[in-house]
Amino acid sequence: MITLSFKIKKQNIKPFVLAFIFLLSLKAVSQNNFNFGFYPKLNFSYKTSKNLKLSTKIESGQLFYSKSILNNDWNYSYEFTEISVFASSKIYSNSSLNFGYMSKIDEGNLSHRLIEQFTLAKKYNGFRLGHRFAADQSFKTFNDIRLRLRYRISYETALSGQNIDPKEYYLKLTNEYLYSIENDKMNFEIRLSPAIGKEINKKNKIEYSFDYRFGKLLDKVKVNSLWFRLAFYFNAK
Amino acid sequence: MKKLILILSLISSFSLAFSQTKFEREYSINYEDVPEKAKDFINKAFNNNKIKWYKEVSQDGISLEAKTKFQKHYFSIEFDTLGNIQDVEKKVKFKKLSKDTQELIKNSIESVFDKYRINKIQIHWKSDDNTLIELINSKINNKEFTISYEIVIESKSEQGPKLYELLISDTGNIIRKSKIEQRSYDNLEF
């Protein structure tokens, strides 16, 4: 087993531990449904011109454990695959507008999603904050559309030194809020994700994270999902 | 459950195989490892302020840095490995500089860049220990010291928006101009 070796600052590890305890406590108090699985991601970006970047993202969800009113079982099942493409235009060096399309294959069904988002990454003394504002429209047919508005805040800080240098580890915490409308029915979801990342170089990264999703908050039966995620971010140019 | 742990271990091992020798650019150091000369300067200049110490390895060699927030400003004090002071940097807002200094800086930047915006300014001071301590504590003195301005600007170029770092002298000459290679933020974007 390869071990991670870096100097951990107490003040940086504390939010990670608190976030993880929060994730576990949410599971403990959650109602009926709970799913646990693996959700890897590969993100590949290529800069085509001075302001335009194309990105492709592939993600796949696999469940290892599922608990509901009817069952309670450790059982592997492949759940879905999502393939997205985005066109990104830089506004300033730290902000961009993205327009994307995603296909999702889920239990043999194909659904589509259009995505529009604005991202701002602001550097402070010793950490970076990311703000992502997004809207998406998902549909299988044109009669069945789900609209969502999303806001995600991310906090990123080095685990050694003040800046994240190549070959160094960092901590990232993200918190997202999603508001959805489908068939005139509203709903709400909260996501929380602590991650440890490694900066391979200034363009490429690997991240390990837990992604907790507390969904259908306005329904009687809520949905809890805890995903272990492995994400690769590559930039070709 | 055992199968799950094995799968996760294999996945971690595989991905970590990409990472080999660690090359440290800047890392925290313990107070005990800081030369006495550097500690003395910091104690005189900042009293009991909380200080973070770093060792910086770069193409220019190895230096030590003390970073702190004092009187609402961020300071960075650079020493050589023996504890001799190199310079003091103080982060300021452009609007807080005198009108003459603002004009000087604008003229320097506009001699090279058409469209830009200023992201960050730091005042650089070089002098003897006592003069630097007085400058840190905002005491006006008639002693000799060198002042320059390190500025990070964003400029729109043919290649898109880019960040540059300029070092400008107190007479408006650009001593150094370098492009900053930014970390990508696709992990915050997607």
Side-chain angles (χ1 to χ4, degrees), chain B residues 58-98:
Chain B
S58 68
Q59 65 278 4
D60 301 324
I62 301 172
S63 62
L64 303 178
E65 273 199 9
K67 291 184 193 276
T68 189
K69 191 172 181 182
F70 180 69
Q71 294 177 352
K72 296 183 183 178
H73 290 281
Y74 286 100
F75 284 87
S76 179
I77 304 91
E78 193 170 339
F79 303 90
D80 64 20
T81 52
L82 299 174
N84 298 308
I85 190 149
Q86 304 295 290
D87 62 44
V88 172
E89 295 170 5
K90 177 183 175 182
K91 190 174 172 186
V92 296
K93 289 187 180 173
F94 183 72
K95 288 176 186 174
K96 296 285 184 184
L97 296 170
S98 69

mmCIF file of all heavy atoms in Angstrom, chain B residues 58-98:
data_model
loop_
_atom_site.group_PDB
_atom_site.id
_atom_site.type_symbol
_atom_site.label_atom_id
_atom_site.label_comp_id
_atom_site.label_asym_id
_atom_site.label_seq_id
_atom_site.Cartn_x
_atom_site.Cartn_y
_atom_site.Cartn_z
ATOM 1 N N SER B 58 13.995 28.068 -5.442
ATOM 2 C CA SER B 58 13.673 28.553 -6.787
ATOM 3 C C SER B 58 14.948 28.568 -7.623
ATOM 4 O O SER B 58 16.025 28.180 -7.143
ATOM 5 C CB SER B 58 13.080 29.959 -6.712
ATOM 6 O OG SER B 58 14.076 30.868 -6.292
ATOM 7 N N GLN B 59 14.843 29.071 -8.853
ATOM 8 C CA GLN B 59 16.023 29.136 -9.736
ATOM 9 C C GLN B 59 17.050 30.127 -9.170
ATOM 10 O O GLN B 59 18.217 30.077 -9.531
ATOM 11 C CB GLN B 59 15.623 29.523 -11.165
ATOM 12 C CG GLN B 59 15.044 30.906 -11.332
ATOM 13 C CD GLN B 59 13.571 30.999 -10.994
ATOM 14 O OE1 GLN B 59 12.973 30.020 -10.549
ATOM 15 N NE2 GLN B 59 12.997 32.163 -11.176
ATOM 16 N N ASP B 60 16.587 31.022 -8.267
ATOM 17 C CA ASP B 60 17.503 32.012 -7.668
ATOM 18 C C ASP B 60 18.211 31.462 -6.439
ATOM 19 O O ASP B 60 19.079 32.140 -5.885
ATOM 20 C CB ASP B 60 16.731 33.275 -7.278
ATOM 21 C CG ASP B 60 16.041 33.926 -8.470
ATOM 22 O OD1 ASP B 60 16.647 33.881 -9.561
ATOM 23 O OD2 ASP B 60 14.929 34.451 -8.315
ATOM 24 N N GLY B 61 17.857 30.294 -6.003
ATOM 25 C CA GLY B 61 18.481 29.708 -4.816
ATOM 26 C C GLY B 61 17.453 29.425 -3.745
ATOM 27 O O GLY B 61 16.272 29.267 -4.021
ATOM 28 N N ILE B 62 17.939 29.407 -2.508
ATOM 29 C CA ILE B 62 17.066 29.080 -1.378
ATOM 30 C C ILE B 62 16.950 30.310 -0.486
ATOM 31 O O ILE B 62 17.950 30.986 -0.203
ATOM 32 C CB ILE B 62 17.644 27.913 -0.558
ATOM 33 C CG1 ILE B 62 17.798 26.678 -1.457
ATOM 34 C CG2 ILE B 62 16.747 27.589 0.632
ATOM 35 C CD1 ILE B 62 18.528 25.531 -0.798
ATOM 36 N N SER B 63 15.751 30.615 -0.070
ATOM 37 C CA SER B 63 15.558 31.737 0.856
ATOM 38 C C SER B 63 14.518 31.346 1.895
ATOM 39 O O SER B 63 13.803 30.351 1.732
ATOM 40 C CB SER B 63 15.110 32.994 0.112
ATOM 41 O OG SER B 63 13.866 32.771 -0.514
ATOM 42 N N LEU B 64 14.469 32.135 2.948
ATOM 43 C CA LEU B 64 13.464 31.930 3.992
ATOM 44 C C LEU B 64 12.499 33.106 3.952
ATOM 45 O O LEU B 64 12.910 34.248 3.705
ATOM 46 C CB LEU B 64 14.121 31.861 5.377
ATOM 47 C CG LEU B 64 15.184 30.791 5.557
ATOM 48 C CD1 LEU B 64 15.790 30.876 6.950
ATOM 49 C CD2 LEU B 64 14.619 29.409 5.337
ATOM 50 N N GLU B 65 11.221 32.808 4.212
ATOM 51 C CA GLU B 65 10.222 33.877 4.204
ATOM 52 C C GLU B 65 9.374 33.828 5.450
ATOM 53 O O GLU B 65 8.934 32.743 5.862
ATOM 54 C CB GLU B 65 9.302 33.735 2.979
ATOM 55 C CG GLU B 65 9.830 34.406 1.750
ATOM 56 C CD GLU B 65 8.768 34.670 0.697
ATOM 57 O OE1 GLU B 65 7.572 34.490 0.955
ATOM 58 O OE2 GLU B 65 9.164 35.046 -0.407
ATOM 59 N N ALA B 66 9.157 35.016 6.015
ATOM 60 C CA ALA B 66 8.224 35.133 7.135
ATOM 61 C C ALA B 66 7.016 35.879 6.614
ATOM 62 O O ALA B 66 7.152 36.925 5.979
ATOM 63 C CB ALA B 66 8.865 35.907 8.277
ATOM 64 N N LYS B 67 5.823 35.327 6.880
ATOM 65 C CA LYS B 67 4.611 35.987 6.402
ATOM 66 C C LYS B 67 3.713 36.274 7.589
ATOM 67 O O LYS B 67 3.543 35.440 8.488
ATOM 68 C CB LYS B 67 3.880 35.096 5.395
ATOM 69 C CG LYS B 67 4.635 34.933 4.066
ATOM 70 C CD LYS B 67 3.832 34.129 3.070
ATOM 71 C CE LYS B 67 4.662 33.690 1.895
ATOM 72 N NZ LYS B 67 4.773 34.698 0.830
ATOM 73 N N THR B 68 3.124 37.473 7.572
ATOM 74 C CA THR B 68 2.253 37.851 8.666
ATOM 75 C C THR B 68 1.301 38.964 8.239
ATOM 76 O O THR B 68 1.515 39.622 7.217
ATOM 77 C CB THR B 68 3.090 38.318 9.878
ATOM 78 O OG1 THR B 68 2.226 38.494 11.015
ATOM 79 C CG2 THR B 68 3.810 39.630 9.610
ATOM 80 N N LYS B 69 0.252 39.152 9.046
ATOM 81 C CA LYS B 69 -0.657 40.283 8.835
ATOM 82 C C LYS B 69 -0.449 41.241 9.999
ATOM 83 O O LYS B 69 -0.521 40.833 11.173
ATOM 84 C CB LYS B 69 -2.110 39.795 8.789
ATOM 85 C CG LYS B 69 -3.069 40.885 8.317
ATOM 86 C CD LYS B 69 -4.466 40.355 8.083
ATOM 87 C CE LYS B 69 -5.388 41.458 7.600
ATOM 88 N NZ LYS B 69 -6.761 41.016 7.393
ATOM 89 N N PHE B 70 -0.151 42.491 9.689
ATOM 90 C CA PHE B 70 0.199 43.461 10.727
ATOM 91 C C PHE B 70 -0.403 44.803 10.372
ATOM 92 O O PHE B 70 -0.221 45.284 9.255
ATOM 93 C CB PHE B 70 1.737 43.542 10.821
ATOM 94 C CG PHE B 70 2.265 44.509 11.845
ATOM 95 C CD1 PHE B 70 2.112 44.261 13.205
ATOM 96 C CD2 PHE B 70 2.949 45.648 11.458
ATOM 97 C CE1 PHE B 70 2.609 45.140 14.154
ATOM 98 C CE2 PHE B 70 3.459 46.527 12.386
ATOM 99 C CZ PHE B 70 3.282 46.273 13.749
ATOM 100 N N GLN B 71 -1.126 45.389 11.300
ATOM 101 C CA GLN B 71 -1.777 46.688 11.067
ATOM 102 C C GLN B 71 -2.592 46.665 9.762
ATOM 103 O O GLN B 71 -2.501 47.573 8.941
ATOM 104 C CB GLN B 71 -0.730 47.818 11.035
ATOM 105 C CG GLN B 71 -0.063 48.022 12.375
ATOM 106 C CD GLN B 71 1.035 49.095 12.364
ATOM 107 O OE1 GLN B 71 1.411 49.596 11.283
ATOM 108 N NE2 GLN B 71 1.541 49.434 13.527
ATOM 109 N N LYS B 72 -3.335 45.591 9.577
ATOM 110 C CA LYS B 72 -4.271 45.391 8.460
ATOM 111 C C LYS B 72 -3.597 45.202 7.100
ATOM 112 O O LYS B 72 -4.257 45.295 6.061
ATOM 113 C CB LYS B 72 -5.283 46.548 8.368
ATOM 114 C CG LYS B 72 -6.183 46.649 9.583
ATOM 115 C CD LYS B 72 -7.215 47.750 9.403
ATOM 116 C CE LYS B 72 -8.054 47.884 10.667
ATOM 117 N NZ LYS B 72 -9.032 48.955 10.586
ATOM 118 N N HIS B 73 -2.275 44.956 7.104
ATOM 119 C CA HIS B 73 -1.580 44.714 5.846
ATOM 120 C C HIS B 73 -0.869 43.368 5.904
ATOM 121 O O HIS B 73 -0.398 42.951 6.965
ATOM 122 C CB HIS B 73 -0.542 45.808 5.579
ATOM 123 C CG HIS B 73 -1.147 47.140 5.256
ATOM 124 N ND1 HIS B 73 -1.643 47.438 4.012
ATOM 125 C CD2 HIS B 73 -1.345 48.232 6.018
ATOM 126 C CE1 HIS B 73 -2.119 48.679 4.024
ATOM 127 N NE2 HIS B 73 -1.954 49.184 5.232
ATOM 128 N N TYR B 74 -0.765 42.702 4.742
ATOM 129 C CA TYR B 74 -0.005 41.458 4.647
ATOM 130 C C TYR B 74 1.451 41.804 4.333
ATOM 131 O O TYR B 74 1.724 42.560 3.408
ATOM 132 C CB TYR B 74 -0.566 40.551 3.552
ATOM 133 C CG TYR B 74 -1.879 39.893 3.933
ATOM 134 C CD1 TYR B 74 -3.092 40.395 3.474
ATOM 135 C CD2 TYR B 74 -1.896 38.776 4.771
ATOM 136 C CE1 TYR B 74 -4.288 39.799 3.838
ATOM 137 C CE2 TYR B 74 -3.089 38.182 5.131
ATOM 138 C CZ TYR B 74 -4.285 38.697 4.670
ATOM 139 O OH TYR B 74 -5.477 38.104 5.038
ATOM 140 N N PHE B 75 2.350 41.235 5.140
ATOM 141 C CA PHE B 75 3.788 41.453 4.947
ATOM 142 C C PHE B 75 4.464 40.136 4.617
ATOM 143 O O PHE B 75 4.083 39.073 5.118
ATOM 144 C CB PHE B 75 4.434 42.006 6.232
ATOM 145 C CG PHE B 75 4.157 43.458 6.472
ATOM 146 C CD1 PHE B 75 3.015 43.853 7.157
ATOM 147 C CD2 PHE B 75 5.039 44.442 6.033
ATOM 148 C CE1 PHE B 75 2.746 45.196 7.388
ATOM 149 C CE2 PHE B 75 4.784 45.791 6.265
ATOM 150 C CZ PHE B 75 3.633 46.169 6.945
ATOM 151 N N SER B 76 5.525 40.242 3.793
ATOM 152 C CA SER B 76 6.359 39.090 3.498
ATOM 153 C C SER B 76 7.798 39.562 3.633
ATOM 154 O O SER B 76 8.195 40.528 2.977
ATOM 155 C CB SER B 76 6.069 38.596 2.083
ATOM 156 O OG SER B 76 6.878 37.506 1.787
ATOM 157 N N ILE B 77 8.549 38.909 4.526
ATOM 158 C CA ILE B 77 9.930 39.346 4.786
ATOM 159 C C ILE B 77 10.861 38.232 4.350
ATOM 160 O O ILE B 77 10.754 37.092 4.819
ATOM 161 C CB ILE B 77 10.138 39.649 6.282
ATOM 162 C CG1 ILE B 77 9.108 40.695 6.746
ATOM 163 C CG2 ILE B 77 11.536 40.179 6.530
ATOM 164 C CD1 ILE B 77 7.843 40.117 7.286
ATOM 165 N N GLU B 78 11.773 38.575 3.453
ATOM 166 C CA GLU B 78 12.654 37.545 2.892
ATOM 167 C C GLU B 78 14.053 37.634 3.513
ATOM 168 O O GLU B 78 14.614 38.726 3.662
ATOM 169 C CB GLU B 78 12.753 37.702 1.373
ATOM 170 C CG GLU B 78 13.389 36.509 0.685
ATOM 171 C CD GLU B 78 13.275 36.566 -0.826
ATOM 172 O OE1 GLU B 78 12.395 37.279 -1.335
ATOM 173 O OE2 GLU B 78 14.084 35.894 -1.492
ATOM 174 N N PHE B 79 14.595 36.463 3.860
ATOM 175 C CA PHE B 79 15.946 36.340 4.442
ATOM 176 C C PHE B 79 16.740 35.332 3.626
ATOM 177 O O PHE B 79 16.170 34.454 2.988
ATOM 178 C CB PHE B 79 15.872 35.821 5.879
ATOM 179 C CG PHE B 79 15.035 36.642 6.807
ATOM 180 C CD1 PHE B 79 13.679 36.378 6.957
ATOM 181 C CD2 PHE B 79 15.603 37.662 7.566
ATOM 182 C CE1 PHE B 79 12.897 37.122 7.820
ATOM 183 C CE2 PHE B 79 14.830 38.413 8.437
ATOM 184 C CZ PHE B 79 13.468 38.146 8.557
ATOM 185 N N ASP B 80 18.085 35.434 3.702
ATOM 186 C CA ASP B 80 18.883 34.357 3.134
ATOM 187 C C ASP B 80 18.952 33.229 4.184
ATOM 188 O O ASP B 80 18.390 33.359 5.281
ATOM 189 C CB ASP B 80 20.273 34.835 2.695
ATOM 190 C CG ASP B 80 21.147 35.334 3.835
ATOM 191 O OD1 ASP B 80 20.872 34.982 5.012
ATOM 192 O OD2 ASP B 80 22.107 36.083 3.566
ATOM 193 N N THR B 81 19.629 32.149 3.869
ATOM 194 C CA THR B 81 19.603 30.979 4.765
ATOM 195 C C THR B 81 20.356 31.220 6.074
ATOM 196 O O THR B 81 20.238 30.450 7.014
ATOM 197 C CB THR B 81 20.191 29.746 4.067
ATOM 198 O OG1 THR B 81 21.469 30.099 3.529
ATOM 199 C CG2 THR B 81 19.282 29.267 2.940
ATOM 200 N N LEU B 82 21.157 32.330 6.119
ATOM 201 C CA LEU B 82 21.862 32.654 7.367
ATOM 202 C C LEU B 82 21.047 33.596 8.256
ATOM 203 O O LEU B 82 21.452 33.915 9.369
ATOM 204 C CB LEU B 82 23.219 33.306 7.042
ATOM 205 C CG LEU B 82 24.179 32.421 6.232
ATOM 206 C CD1 LEU B 82 25.426 33.214 5.847
ATOM 207 C CD2 LEU B 82 24.576 31.174 7.016
ATOM 208 N N GLY B 83 19.916 34.063 7.718
ATOM 209 C CA GLY B 83 19.060 34.952 8.497
ATOM 210 C C GLY B 83 19.261 36.430 8.192
ATOM 211 O O GLY B 83 18.699 37.286 8.879
ATOM 212 N N ASN B 84 20.063 36.751 7.170
ATOM 213 C CA ASN B 84 20.262 38.153 6.793
ATOM 214 C C ASN B 84 19.084 38.621 5.955
ATOM 215 O O ASN B 84 18.661 37.938 5.021
ATOM 216 C CB ASN B 84 21.542 38.313 5.951
ATOM 217 C CG ASN B 84 22.767 37.911 6.747
ATOM 218 O OD1 ASN B 84 22.991 38.377 7.851
ATOM 219 N ND2 ASN B 84 23.562 37.005 6.175
ATOM 220 N N ILE B 85 18.566 39.791 6.298
ATOM 221 C CA ILE B 85 17.371 40.254 5.608
ATOM 222 C C ILE B 85 17.683 40.637 4.168
ATOM 223 O O ILE B 85 18.715 41.232 3.867
ATOM 224 C CB ILE B 85 16.712 41.413 6.377
ATOM 225 C CG1 ILE B 85 15.333 41.708 5.760
ATOM 226 C CG2 ILE B 85 17.586 42.652 6.384
ATOM 227 C CD1 ILE B 85 14.342 42.212 6.715
ATOM 228 N N GLN B 86 16.769 40.298 3.252
ATOM 229 C CA GLN B 86 16.913 40.628 1.839
ATOM 230 C C GLN B 86 15.992 41.791 1.483
ATOM 231 O O GLN B 86 16.419 42.786 0.909
ATOM 232 C CB GLN B 86 16.557 39.413 0.960
ATOM 233 C CG GLN B 86 17.372 38.168 1.289
ATOM 234 C CD GLN B 86 18.841 38.363 0.977
ATOM 235 O OE1 GLN B 86 19.245 38.439 -0.186
ATOM 236 N NE2 GLN B 86 19.671 38.460 1.997
ATOM 237 N N ASP B 87 14.715 41.654 1.779
ATOM 238 C CA ASP B 87 13.771 42.742 1.535
ATOM 239 C C ASP B 87 12.484 42.518 2.316
ATOM 240 O O ASP B 87 12.272 41.449 2.900
ATOM 241 C CB ASP B 87 13.462 42.913 0.028
ATOM 242 C CG ASP B 87 12.803 41.685 -0.591
ATOM 243 O OD1 ASP B 87 11.889 41.111 0.031
ATOM 244 O OD2 ASP B 87 13.189 41.293 -1.706
ATOM 245 N N VAL B 88 11.657 43.577 2.338
ATOM 246 C CA VAL B 88 10.342 43.511 2.976
ATOM 247 C C VAL B 88 9.307 43.872 1.926
ATOM 248 O O VAL B 88 9.480 44.843 1.181
ATOM 249 C CB VAL B 88 10.249 44.502 4.161
ATOM 250 C CG1 VAL B 88 8.820 44.569 4.687
ATOM 251 C CG2 VAL B 88 11.206 44.099 5.274
ATOM 252 N N GLU B 89 8.243 43.072 1.874
ATOM 253 C CA GLU B 89 7.155 43.364 0.941
ATOM 254 C C GLU B 89 5.878 43.626 1.728
ATOM 255 O O GLU B 89 5.583 42.905 2.685
ATOM 256 C CB GLU B 89 6.910 42.161 0.018
ATOM 257 C CG GLU B 89 8.072 41.847 -0.893
ATOM 258 C CD GLU B 89 7.898 40.511 -1.618
ATOM 259 O OE1 GLU B 89 6.830 39.883 -1.490
ATOM 260 O OE2 GLU B 89 8.847 40.107 -2.306
ATOM 261 N N LYS B 90 5.148 44.654 1.305
ATOM 262 C CA LYS B 90 3.893 45.003 1.975
ATOM 263 C C LYS B 90 2.803 45.107 0.914
ATOM 264 O O LYS B 90 2.930 45.882 -0.050
ATOM 265 C CB LYS B 90 4.061 46.338 2.704
ATOM 266 C CG LYS B 90 2.801 46.862 3.379
ATOM 267 C CD LYS B 90 3.094 48.222 4.008
ATOM 268 C CE LYS B 90 1.840 48.847 4.576
ATOM 269 N NZ LYS B 90 2.111 50.194 5.145
ATOM 270 N N LYS B 91 1.732 44.331 1.101
ATOM 271 C CA LYS B 91 0.635 44.366 0.130
ATOM 272 C C LYS B 91 -0.231 45.591 0.406
ATOM 273 O O LYS B 91 -0.608 45.835 1.550
ATOM 274 C CB LYS B 91 -0.197 43.089 0.260
ATOM 275 C CG LYS B 91 -1.208 42.880 -0.839
ATOM 276 C CD LYS B 91 -1.868 41.521 -0.689
ATOM 277 C CE LYS B 91 -3.017 41.368 -1.654
ATOM 278 N NZ LYS B 91 -3.765 40.121 -1.439
ATOM 279 N N VAL B 92 -0.507 46.363 -0.652
ATOM 280 C CA VAL B 92 -1.313 47.580 -0.504
ATOM 281 C C VAL B 92 -2.368 47.633 -1.595
ATOM 282 O O VAL B 92 -2.297 46.908 -2.587
ATOM 283 C CB VAL B 92 -0.430 48.850 -0.572
ATOM 284 C CG1 VAL B 92 0.546 48.916 0.587
ATOM 285 C CG2 VAL B 92 0.303 48.940 -1.903
ATOM 286 N N LYS B 93 -3.325 48.546 -1.396
ATOM 287 C CA LYS B 93 -4.333 48.755 -2.453
ATOM 288 C C LYS B 93 -3.861 49.929 -3.323
ATOM 289 O O LYS B 93 -3.309 50.904 -2.804
ATOM 290 C CB LYS B 93 -5.689 49.083 -1.827
ATOM 291 C CG LYS B 93 -6.310 47.890 -1.151
ATOM 292 C CD LYS B 93 -7.708 48.174 -0.687
ATOM 293 C CE LYS B 93 -8.241 46.905 -0.017
ATOM 294 N NZ LYS B 93 -9.516 47.091 0.616
ATOM 295 N N PHE B 94 -4.103 49.823 -4.608
ATOM 296 C CA PHE B 94 -3.655 50.859 -5.547
ATOM 297 C C PHE B 94 -4.183 52.237 -5.156
ATOM 298 O O PHE B 94 -3.444 53.228 -5.183
ATOM 299 C CB PHE B 94 -4.109 50.485 -6.959
ATOM 300 C CG PHE B 94 -3.644 51.442 -8.030
ATOM 301 C CD1 PHE B 94 -2.308 51.481 -8.407
ATOM 302 C CD2 PHE B 94 -4.539 52.307 -8.647
ATOM 303 C CE1 PHE B 94 -1.869 52.359 -9.389
ATOM 304 C CE2 PHE B 94 -4.116 53.188 -9.629
ATOM 305 C CZ PHE B 94 -2.772 53.219 -9.996
ATOM 306 N N LYS B 95 -5.442 52.283 -4.724
ATOM 307 C CA LYS B 95 -6.061 53.581 -4.407
ATOM 308 C C LYS B 95 -5.452 54.224 -3.167
ATOM 309 O O LYS B 95 -5.614 55.417 -2.948
ATOM 310 C CB LYS B 95 -7.562 53.386 -4.187
ATOM 311 C CG LYS B 95 -8.324 53.093 -5.452
ATOM 312 C CD LYS B 95 -9.790 52.800 -5.171
ATOM 313 C CE LYS B 95 -10.482 52.364 -6.442
ATOM 314 N NZ LYS B 95 -11.864 51.920 -6.234
ATOM 315 N N LYS B 96 -4.766 53.431 -2.341
ATOM 316 C CA LYS B 96 -4.174 53.973 -1.109
ATOM 317 C C LYS B 96 -2.805 54.600 -1.365
ATOM 318 O O LYS B 96 -2.252 55.278 -0.503
ATOM 319 C CB LYS B 96 -4.015 52.853 -0.061
ATOM 320 C CG LYS B 96 -5.335 52.260 0.393
ATOM 321 C CD LYS B 96 -6.067 53.183 1.327
ATOM 322 C CE LYS B 96 -7.335 52.518 1.844
ATOM 323 N NZ LYS B 96 -8.125 53.409 2.676
ATOM 324 N N LEU B 97 -2.272 54.404 -2.558
ATOM 325 C CA LEU B 97 -0.981 55.014 -2.886
ATOM 326 C C LEU B 97 -1.214 56.490 -3.200
ATOM 327 O O LEU B 97 -2.320 56.900 -3.543
ATOM 328 C CB LEU B 97 -0.349 54.322 -4.106
ATOM 329 C CG LEU B 97 0.017 52.848 -3.935
ATOM 330 C CD1 LEU B 97 0.390 52.233 -5.274
ATOM 331 C CD2 LEU B 97 1.173 52.697 -2.964
ATOM 332 N N SER B 98 -0.146 57.288 -3.105
ATOM 333 C CA SER B 98 -0.281 58.718 -3.409
ATOM 334 C C SER B 98 -0.624 58.869 -4.892
ATOM 335 O O SER B 98 -0.332 57.997 -5.714
ATOM 336 C CB SER B 98 1.016 59.445 -3.090
ATOM 337 O OG SER B 98 2.012 59.040 -4.017
#
